[in-house]
Every structure is written in structure tokens, then in C-alpha cells.
Amino acid sequence: MPDQLTLRLATAADAAAVLELRVESEVAERGETESTLAEVAADLARPTHREWVHEDADGRVDATVWIEKQAVDSSIFGEVTRDPARGAGLIEPLLEFAKRQARDTYPALPLHVFCDATATSRRDAFEAAGGVQVRVFFRMVMNIASGMPGVELPDGATIRVIRADDPSDLRAMYDVIETAFREHFGAAPATYDEWIGAMSSPDVSDRSLWWLAEVEGEPAAGLIGRLLPRRGWVDEVGTLPAYRGRGLARALLLTAFEEFRSRGFEQVGLGVDTANHTGALGLYESIGMTPTNHWVGYRFEP
């Protein structure tokens, strides 16, 4: 990394500047942004999240780099962001910095770095540095203002919002999500305390957007949603293996979408791993969701 490139750890006081940079980068690459100050503040406050900022000669943040490994992940995840107008030449040294930090902190784990598919300069830099493309994710959306298909439940199934003050409901949601995602990309076993800690940040802590599907009274599937500035968003939806193929995930999605619509949102969205082995992409397409953009993940070995 060039001697003149100096980075410092970001603090809570940097949240507004980091948000400004994220918005500029996202709008330049895909024409819109969903980033919020609350989201950035939650990132910077999370103990597992380490983010550094680079400032130009005028003291403005023109690039950031972060890495993170939560207990629920089997890899280190990271991102390199630079101002499209003011951050020329920073991608390569920032990437090398991220790789070194990952090796020093978690020497046995790979680093996965993601970027929008339209970010050609970042993708070129990642590939030149030895990154191997391993995943493609779609951001899928659906307009819901004019209504949606009705919810159809299989025999013996019910859907309800969890009781936020009931530890057994939180534990049931943990069991469903932890089991349903056990074989998904980047997942690692997490204890209940680790999971609930990761799911208690302000952006996903609205328990009125957490639904459980039960079959004959037994938890079978779950959905965790949240509200973004422009749309309702599905963070997690998963079904236990024994209950797949019955339409529970579809029913959960349509239930959540109707709730988002009742709160005044005209659009809903979610992200999906196109290599998901459960057929999630086909499910989302079948209810009318379409991809608006996609981003790619590159793997760097330790």
C-alpha cells in the first residue's frame, strides 16, 4: 500500500460521512440506494464490524474498507468502496489492506468481497488480484400497490407474528432459521445468544415483522422482514427440510408483502443466491418478483 495512503478506524462520528460515500457509490453504480444513517450507525457499532476510512486532502472521506466475521458466518466478508469521482487509484491498495487485515485477524479463513455487477473497475481489480468469482446474487423486487395473490395454506398450517416478549417464540425462530440456512453459502453454526445478538440491531429488531409458520402446532418455517426507505424488505425466509414443498415459504412471503402494503409501501424486495439449492429463485419468480440488479462475490484464499 502506498505510503501516502493513510487509513484510520471509523468511529460513530464518521457515520454521516460514510453514508454520504455509500450513497454516492450506489447511485453511480445502480441508479438508486437503500442505505440509511441508522444502517451505517448499526454497522459501526457492531463489535464484529471493522471499518476504516480514507480522507482526501480536504479531509473528506473518499473511500472505505470493511471486514466482518460474525458467529453465523464461516467466512470473512468485506467491501471496498471509493467515491466514483474522487477515489481514483484507491481500489487496489484498499483491497490489499482488506486482505492483510483478514489474514492477520482470521488467518485460516477466506475473504469474500462483494460488489455490484456494474462496478467494472472494482471487478477488474478483484480479478487482477486473484479473486475468484464464486457467487452471483440477485436483488429482486415486486410492485404490490395493486394487490397480490391470496395466501393459501396447506392443511394444518397457520401463520402468525411472533410474540416479541415470549422467549419460546424467539427460540423457535432461531431453530427454524438456523436449521434452514445450515447448508447455505457462508453459513456457520451459531449459538442462540450469538444469533439473537446479530438479529438485535435496529434495522431488523422490529419483531412485528417476524412471522412463524406452524404445522399442527410445530414451528416449520419463518420470515424476518424490515422496512427500508423505498420498500419492504425480506431479510430471511426459510423452511425446515421436513416441511419443504408444501408452500409455506410462499405463504409467508405473501403474508409479509400484504403487511408491507398495509404500511404504505408500493414495492417489496429481497436478495437471493442464484445457486441456492432449495429453488428459492424459482419461488420468487413464480409470485411475480423480478431481478433489478445483481452483485457478485469474489473469494480470496488466506
Side-chain angles (χ1 to χ4, degrees):
M1 188 167 63
D3 292 338
Q4 68 271 23
L5 189 62
T6 302
L7 299 171
R8 62 172 176 81
L9 276 170
T11 69
D14 295 306
V18 171
L19 173 64
E20 181 180 1
L21 176 67
R22 288 190 192 180
V23 169
E24 290 174 351
S25 176
E26 290 167 1
V27 170
E29 290 176 355
R30 62 174 182 261
E32 67 171 7
T33 180
E34 292 285 5
S35 293
T36 66
L37 186 61
E39 179 185 44
V40 174
D43 286 345
L44 297 180
R46 207 162 45 246
T48 54
H49 182 94
R50 300 180 67 201
E51 186 156 355
W52 295 263
V53 299
H54 178 268
E55 296 170 323
D56 63 17
D58 297 323
R60 292 182 60 193
V61 173
D62 61 359
T64 62
V65 55
W66 62 261
I67 64 170
E68 181 165 13
K69 187 213 172 291
Q70 295 190 12
V72 295
D73 300 322
S74 61
S75 303
I76 312 161
F77 293 93
E79 188 170 358
V80 173
T81 303
R82 60 101 172 92
D83 184 280
R86 298 180 290 119
L90 293 177
I91 298 175
E92 292 82 356
L94 288 170
L95 176 61
E96 288 305 313
F97 178 84
K99 291 164 61 179
R100 186 168 66 251
Q101 290 293 330
R103 286 194 302 268
D104 291 347
T105 311
Y106 308 101
L109 296 178
L111 169 67
H112 288 96
V113 179
F114 294 83
C115 68
D116 196 275
T118 63
T120 54
S121 58
R122 279 195 283 173
R123 294 185 65 182
D124 289 345
F126 296 163
E127 291 171 6
V132 177
Q133 182 178 316
V134 292
R135 272 305 194 270
V136 175
F137 290 82
F138 284 171
R139 173 186 296 232
M140 306 191 73
V141 300
M142 178 178 173
N143 292 319
I144 57 174
S146 59
M148 296 158 298
V151 176
E152 297 181 6
L153 286 171
D155 291 343
T158 58
I159 290 178
R160 63 178 176 84
V161 175
I162 70 163
R163 297 176 290 261
D165 58 350
D166 186 340
S168 66
D169 268 11
L170 292 174
R171 174 70 68 166
M173 182 66 84
Y174 158 77
D175 289 338
V176 167
I177 296 298
E178 172 74 6
T179 303
F181 281 85
R182 189 165 292 163
E183 297 178 355
H184 284 213
F185 171 72
T191 67
Y192 173 74
D193 288 341
E194 291 169 337
W195 180 83
I196 202 67
M199 299 305 295
S200 295
S201 61
D203 55 339
V204 290
S205 62
D206 184 352
R207 307 294 195 241
S208 69
L209 296 173
W210 291 30
W211 287 268
L212 271 176
E214 297 171 317
V215 176
E216 305 296 344
E218 293 297 321
L223 184 149
I224 295 174
R226 62 182 169 123
L227 304 178
L228 296 177
R230 295 162 54 93
R231 57 180 65 100
W233 188 261
V234 175
D235 257 29
E236 309 275 9
V237 57
T239 304
L240 294 177
Y243 295 98
R244 288 174 183 160
R246 305 189 188 188
L248 293 174
R250 178 187 177 91
L252 280 167
L253 288 164
L254 294 175
T255 298
F257 291 178
E258 182 58 41
E259 176 62 21
F260 291 139
R261 190 167 75 93
S262 74
R263 298 194 187 196
F265 287 87
E266 297 185 354
Q267 195 176 80
V268 295
L270 51 76
V272 59
D273 180 354
T274 59
N276 185 301
H277 70 283
T278 64
L281 178 59
L283 167 63
Y284 304 149
E285 290 174 333
S286 75
I287 60 177
M289 303 194 79
T290 56
T292 57
N293 66 289
H294 65 282
W295 61 101
V296 293
Y298 291 89
R299 178 186 179 102
F300 294 90
E301 297 298 337

